[in-house]
Amino acid sequence: MKISSTRLLRSALFASLAAGVILAAVAIGLAPPRPAPPSFERLSAAQAWADLESNRPVGHLIRLVAFDPQKEPWLAIDRLTRLGPPDQLYSFVASYEEMAGYTARQALEKNGLRLSEGQHVSAVIFPRRTELYPANARGLLQIIRAVEQEKGEAIGERFLDGANVLSEAEAKDLQSTDIASYRVSDFKDKYPRYCELARRFNCGPASYPASRFIGSLYHDWHPLGFSQIEPARDPCTLPAAHYCAFVDWATTKSEFLPRFGSRAFFTKNLEIAKIPGRILIDFDQPDRQIIPYIGTTAD
């Protein structure tokens, strides 16, 4: 596994092979990954779920990309140019704190993805510096609206038109991006409508042009803003009432915590070379190598 800094320096710094980590040096001005202190513990699913409920701020984010080095060499960490495909405007990322200490395979699975035989994992860890949108139904609608506004008439059919047009109250609510506004308890009265729209966008029957510019919503995504590890079934096969069912967090937790993966977020599809404080990692043995500890990250 190679860990590189802003300038992709390659000099070597070694950590224990028992931990499955081989580190490369980090450029001046960027704190290197360090051995985890004795008190360091991986964030549990229960704590990550509590952070989902409260929409706890994140200090660092992580983007993981699984790829076959022979068939997809352009996805190697030293060849990636942006967090997502070049034509995306917004990409999915996760909380780094929820991944630290897990193997690259485990972290990928917590993001609702699967690793195939022979694949490597490219990882970009970076401090949150730009607007971040929790990827729940409300955050998704904000992203759709932003994409349709940015693309204008060039986008063609707009999702948020016709039967899907937002009411004045909904449009006003979606203007807010403060932390509290994403707590489901703070927009519970609007959640059924937001979720209905999210389901329509995600499940079709046909895709909307805006979807080309947004990270893909796979069957692991839940409209409350998290990914699932091996979901019981494709949520799009569920009736709308079941897809959007939400009584309270306690009820939802009892159903989903056993396969809860991690919180999901949208961020702009940033140009990697321009992200300050980034750490780039190539996991060539993702079953053994862990997401390294980089020290305390600020909220």
PDB file of all heavy atoms in Angstrom, residues 5-9 25-32 277:
ATOM      1  N   SER A   5       1.435  12.139  -0.534  1.00  0.00           N
ATOM      2  CA  SER A   5       1.002  13.450  -0.098  1.00  0.00           C
ATOM      3  C   SER A   5       0.630  14.306  -1.283  1.00  0.00           C
ATOM      4  O   SER A   5       0.479  13.835  -2.394  1.00  0.00           O
ATOM      5  CB  SER A   5       2.149  14.120   0.662  1.00  0.00           C
ATOM      6  OG  SER A   5       3.147  14.460  -0.268  1.00  0.00           O
ATOM      7  N   THR A   6       0.566  15.591  -1.022  1.00  0.00           N
ATOM      8  CA  THR A   6       0.187  16.548  -2.041  1.00  0.00           C
ATOM      9  C   THR A   6       1.044  16.411  -3.303  1.00  0.00           C
ATOM     10  O   THR A   6       0.551  16.501  -4.414  1.00  0.00           O
ATOM     11  CB  THR A   6       0.340  17.973  -1.489  1.00  0.00           C
ATOM     12  OG1 THR A   6      -0.464  18.071  -0.323  1.00  0.00           O
ATOM     13  CG2 THR A   6      -0.109  19.008  -2.490  1.00  0.00           C
ATOM     14  N   ARG A   7       2.331  16.172  -3.158  1.00  0.00           N
ATOM     15  CA  ARG A   7       3.214  16.113  -4.326  1.00  0.00           C
ATOM     16  C   ARG A   7       3.565  14.683  -4.719  1.00  0.00           C
ATOM     17  O   ARG A   7       4.462  14.458  -5.514  1.00  0.00           O
ATOM     18  CB  ARG A   7       4.485  16.896  -4.034  1.00  0.00           C
ATOM     19  CG  ARG A   7       4.176  18.380  -3.806  1.00  0.00           C
ATOM     20  CD  ARG A   7       5.432  19.176  -3.606  1.00  0.00           C
ATOM     21  NE  ARG A   7       5.119  20.569  -3.348  1.00  0.00           N
ATOM     22  CZ  ARG A   7       6.027  21.503  -3.120  1.00  0.00           C
ATOM     23  NH1 ARG A   7       7.301  21.186  -3.106  1.00  0.00           N
ATOM     24  NH2 ARG A   7       5.657  22.745  -2.882  1.00  0.00           N
ATOM     25  N   LEU A   8       2.878  13.709  -4.146  1.00  0.00           N
ATOM     26  CA  LEU A   8       3.077  12.311  -4.510  1.00  0.00           C
ATOM     27  C   LEU A   8       4.535  11.889  -4.339  1.00  0.00           C
ATOM     28  O   LEU A   8       5.105  11.200  -5.173  1.00  0.00           O
ATOM     29  CB  LEU A   8       2.635  12.061  -5.962  1.00  0.00           C
ATOM     30  CG  LEU A   8       1.135  12.121  -6.206  1.00  0.00           C
ATOM     31  CD1 LEU A   8       0.857  12.063  -7.687  1.00  0.00           C
ATOM     32  CD2 LEU A   8       0.418  10.977  -5.506  1.00  0.00           C
ATOM     33  N   LEU A   9       5.150  12.313  -3.213  1.00  0.00           N
ATOM     34  CA  LEU A   9       6.511  11.875  -2.947  1.00  0.00           C
ATOM     35  C   LEU A   9       6.507  10.390  -2.633  1.00  0.00           C
ATOM     36  O   LEU A   9       5.558   9.850  -2.100  1.00  0.00           O
ATOM     37  CB  LEU A   9       7.088  12.672  -1.769  1.00  0.00           C
ATOM     38  CG  LEU A   9       7.168  14.187  -1.978  1.00  0.00           C
ATOM     39  CD1 LEU A   9       7.831  14.832  -0.783  1.00  0.00           C
ATOM     40  CD2 LEU A   9       7.937  14.510  -3.241  1.00  0.00           C
ATOM     41  N   ALA A  25       6.268   8.534   2.308  1.00  0.00           N
ATOM     42  CA  ALA A  25       6.442   9.799   3.017  1.00  0.00           C
ATOM     43  C   ALA A  25       5.425  10.838   2.599  1.00  0.00           C
ATOM     44  O   ALA A  25       4.878  10.787   1.514  1.00  0.00           O
ATOM     45  CB  ALA A  25       7.845  10.342   2.757  1.00  0.00           C
ATOM     46  N   VAL A  26       5.221  11.804   3.484  1.00  0.00           N
ATOM     47  CA  VAL A  26       4.243  12.855   3.259  1.00  0.00           C
ATOM     48  C   VAL A  26       4.969  14.185   3.154  1.00  0.00           C
ATOM     49  O   VAL A  26       5.959  14.421   3.839  1.00  0.00           O
ATOM     50  CB  VAL A  26       3.231  12.874   4.417  1.00  0.00           C
ATOM     51  CG1 VAL A  26       2.184  13.944   4.187  1.00  0.00           C
ATOM     52  CG2 VAL A  26       2.569  11.515   4.541  1.00  0.00           C
ATOM     53  N   ALA A  27       4.515  15.047   2.276  1.00  0.00           N
ATOM     54  CA  ALA A  27       5.216  16.306   2.011  1.00  0.00           C
ATOM     55  C   ALA A  27       5.182  17.239   3.204  1.00  0.00           C
ATOM     56  O   ALA A  27       4.362  17.120   4.101  1.00  0.00           O
ATOM     57  CB  ALA A  27       4.583  17.002   0.810  1.00  0.00           C
ATOM     58  N   ILE A  28       6.104  18.176   3.213  1.00  0.00           N
ATOM     59  CA  ILE A  28       6.178  19.174   4.271  1.00  0.00           C
ATOM     60  C   ILE A  28       4.853  19.920   4.361  1.00  0.00           C
ATOM     61  O   ILE A  28       4.268  20.313   3.372  1.00  0.00           O
ATOM     62  CB  ILE A  28       7.318  20.171   3.983  1.00  0.00           C
ATOM     63  CG1 ILE A  28       8.661  19.425   4.034  1.00  0.00           C
ATOM     64  CG2 ILE A  28       7.308  21.328   4.959  1.00  0.00           C
ATOM     65  CD1 ILE A  28       9.839  20.268   3.611  1.00  0.00           C
ATOM     66  N   GLY A  29       4.395  20.138   5.586  1.00  0.00           N
ATOM     67  CA  GLY A  29       3.153  20.870   5.794  1.00  0.00           C
ATOM     68  C   GLY A  29       1.939  19.975   5.919  1.00  0.00           C
ATOM     69  O   GLY A  29       0.867  20.451   6.232  1.00  0.00           O
ATOM     70  N   LEU A  30       2.105  18.667   5.715  1.00  0.00           N
ATOM     71  CA  LEU A  30       0.978  17.749   5.829  1.00  0.00           C
ATOM     72  C   LEU A  30       1.339  16.689   6.846  1.00  0.00           C
ATOM     73  O   LEU A  30       2.309  15.963   6.683  1.00  0.00           O
ATOM     74  CB  LEU A  30       0.686  17.085   4.480  1.00  0.00           C
ATOM     75  CG  LEU A  30      -0.440  16.055   4.457  1.00  0.00           C
ATOM     76  CD1 LEU A  30      -1.762  16.713   4.830  1.00  0.00           C
ATOM     77  CD2 LEU A  30      -0.543  15.416   3.096  1.00  0.00           C
ATOM     78  N   ALA A  31       0.569  16.605   7.938  1.00  0.00           N
ATOM     79  CA  ALA A  31       0.869  15.634   8.985  1.00  0.00           C
ATOM     80  C   ALA A  31       0.731  14.217   8.444  1.00  0.00           C
ATOM     81  O   ALA A  31      -0.274  13.885   7.836  1.00  0.00           O
ATOM     82  CB  ALA A  31      -0.081  15.837  10.160  1.00  0.00           C
ATOM     83  N   PRO A  32       1.771  13.369   8.635  1.00  0.00           N
ATOM     84  CA  PRO A  32       1.700  12.014   8.089  1.00  0.00           C
ATOM     85  C   PRO A  32       0.804  11.119   8.918  1.00  0.00           C
ATOM     86  O   PRO A  32       0.560  11.387  10.091  1.00  0.00           O
ATOM     87  CB  PRO A  32       3.148  11.541   8.180  1.00  0.00           C
ATOM     88  CG  PRO A  32       3.695  12.265   9.369  1.00  0.00           C
ATOM     89  CD  PRO A  32       3.038  13.624   9.339  1.00  0.00           C
ATOM     90  N   GLY A 277      -4.210  19.512   1.863  1.00  0.00           N
ATOM     91  CA  GLY A 277      -4.149  18.539   2.935  1.00  0.00           C
ATOM     92  C   GLY A 277      -4.580  17.141   2.555  1.00  0.00           C
ATOM     93  O   GLY A 277      -4.842  16.311   3.433  1.00  0.00           O
TER      94      GLY A 277
END
